[in-house]
């Protein structure tokens, strides 16, 4: 049986690699790399650096080109599912042709494989087609969400309050559905106008290009938009995330009794 490892490699800092991830990289015979093209080549290069440092030779690297995704389609979900299926075909060919029975292959995944990453869903789709069989093991990683809150020195959760994890598209469509909202995959700065929230924003977390901004949305929102646009134009890509936390309103004394201390 072929064995596949899905290894979370953190948000960009080489020190985000866990000991479990280092051991998993060392146990891998074939590393699968899906190249997103020249613009994001440095994301591939960082993976290759991790492999060179922690892999045990002789290992092999098998590459495939990531299929293009229709980012202008109004049918967002259908466009993503189409892209994912075409990517699954490319990954299936890699696993079938490059990994022998008894060998271990690995996908190195940014952040944590369970947080807005398609690798696990793609592998499920490949298994469901039944053309190639393999076992899957997942190595969790430090997500960009964890890196964000650590760099801003704030808690992700508060006592007795839920935290909602969503995308920029969903935030724009439905607004914040909790007092604490983590937003990822937001190309349009959907926090605009949420002036009763404090924002903790970060881009390129854990890398030398890291950018951090925090403050009331009404005060720092324009600055974040400018920094984001400048960084994306300079590098050709951007990965950012942010936490929105509703600003507490003024204390109101309950009717008919004394207010609580606190």
């Amino acid at each position: 049986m072929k064995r596949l490892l899905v290894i979370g490699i953190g948000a960009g800092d080489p020190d985000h690699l866990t000991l479990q991830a280092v051991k998993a990289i060392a146990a891998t015979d074939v590393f699968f790399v899906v190249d997103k093209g020249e613009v994001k080549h440095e994301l591939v290069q960082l993976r290759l650096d991790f492999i060179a440092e922690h892999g045990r030779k002789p290992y092999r690297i098998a590459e495939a080109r990531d299929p293009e995704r229709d980012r202008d389609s109004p049918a967002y979900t259908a466009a993503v599912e189409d892209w994912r299926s075409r990517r699954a075909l490319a990954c299936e060919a890699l696993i079938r042709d490059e990994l022998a029975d008894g060998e271990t292959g690995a996908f190195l995944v940014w952040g944590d494989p369970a947080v807005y990453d398609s690798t696990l869903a793609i592998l499920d789709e490949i298994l469901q087609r039944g053309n190639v069989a393999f076992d899957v093991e997942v190595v969790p990683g430090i997500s960009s969400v964890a890196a964000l809150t650590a760099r801003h020195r704030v808690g992700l959760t508060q006592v007795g309050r839920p935290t909602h994890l969503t995308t920029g598209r969903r935030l724009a469509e439905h607004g914040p559905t909790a007092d604490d909202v983590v937003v990822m995959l937001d190309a349009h700065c959907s926090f605009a106008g949420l002036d009763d929230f404090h924002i903790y924003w970060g881009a390129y977390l854990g890398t030398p290009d890291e950018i951090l901004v925090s403050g009331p949305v009404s005060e720092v929102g324009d600055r974040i938009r400018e920094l984001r646009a400048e960084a994306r134009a300079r590098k050709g890509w951007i990965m950012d995330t942010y936490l929105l936390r509703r600003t507490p309103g003024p204390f109101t004394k309950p009717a008919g009794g004394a207010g609580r201390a606190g």
Side-chain angles (χ1 to χ4, degrees):
M1 178 69 74
K2 303 180 182 188
R3 176 179 178 235
L4 276 182
L5 302 174
V6 182
I7 305 172
I9 60 173
D13 188 335
D15 289 342
H16 284 176
L17 282 180
T18 65
L19 291 177
Q20 186 182 13
V22 169
K23 291 176 182 177
I25 292 172
T28 297
D29 300 300
V30 184
F31 294 94
F32 300 116
V33 177
V34 181
D35 193 345
K36 294 180 178 291
E38 189 64 31
V39 171
K40 293 188 177 180
H41 180 71
E42 64 183 290
L43 301 181
V44 173
Q45 186 58 53
L46 187 56
R47 288 181 172 93
L48 297 178
D49 292 343
F50 289 166
I51 293 168
E53 182 172 357
H54 301 292
R56 289 183 182 174
K57 296 183 178 180
Y59 57 76
R60 307 189 302 282
I61 295 176
E63 296 187 57
R65 186 62 181 266
D66 197 22
E68 293 293 329
R69 195 180 99 195
D70 184 359
R71 298 183 180 275
D72 298 321
S73 172
Y76 174 78
T77 301
V80 170
E81 289 176 350
D82 172 70
W83 164 80
R84 182 178 289 175
S85 291
R86 288 184 287 118
R87 196 180 208 210
L89 289 172
C91 291
E92 181 178 312
L94 287 177
I95 297 167
R96 181 191 64 229
D97 299 338
E98 303 291 344
L99 188 66
D101 286 343
E103 288 189 321
T104 297
F107 290 90
L108 273 55
V109 173
W110 284 105
D112 182 272
V115 182
Y116 284 121
D117 183 80
S118 63
T119 305
L120 294 178
I122 285 171
L123 294 180
D124 284 342
E125 182 174 330
I126 295 171
L127 287 172
Q128 288 170 12
R129 281 203 289 262
N131 297 323
V132 60
F134 48 84
D135 288 328
V136 178
E137 296 178 30
V138 179
V139 177
I142 294 175
S143 70
S144 61
V145 178
L148 175 79
T149 53
R151 294 294 289 128
H152 280 290
R153 302 188 298 274
V154 296
L156 177 62
T157 58
Q158 300 192 76
V159 176
R161 290 165 56 171
T163 298
H164 185 204
L165 177 64
T166 190
T167 65
R169 181 180 296 270
R170 298 286 293 182
L171 179 67
E173 290 176 352
H174 304 287
T177 58
D179 290 339
D180 297 278
V181 184
V182 175
V183 184
M184 306 178 73
L185 307 175
D186 186 4
H188 303 291
C189 297
S190 302
F191 53 77
L194 300 178
D195 292 345
D196 54 340
F197 280 84
H198 194 100
I199 187 170
Y200 301 90
W201 178 82
Y204 311 113
L205 290 159
T207 75
D209 296 307
E210 180 179 277
I211 311 170
L212 299 171
V213 177
S214 67
V217 169
S218 59
E219 297 179 10
V220 302
D222 289 342
R223 182 183 173 208
I224 291 173
R225 282 190 289 273
E226 292 172 1
L227 287 171
R228 192 184 192 283
E230 291 170 359
R232 194 181 191 288
R234 181 178 69 254
K235 292 178 67 66
W237 62 275
I238 190 167
M239 290 195 300
D240 61 334
T241 188
Y242 55 89
L243 167 66
L244 290 171
R245 176 154 289 159
R246 193 182 299 274
T247 304
F251 176 76
T252 302
K253 181 178 178 181
R260 293 180 297 171

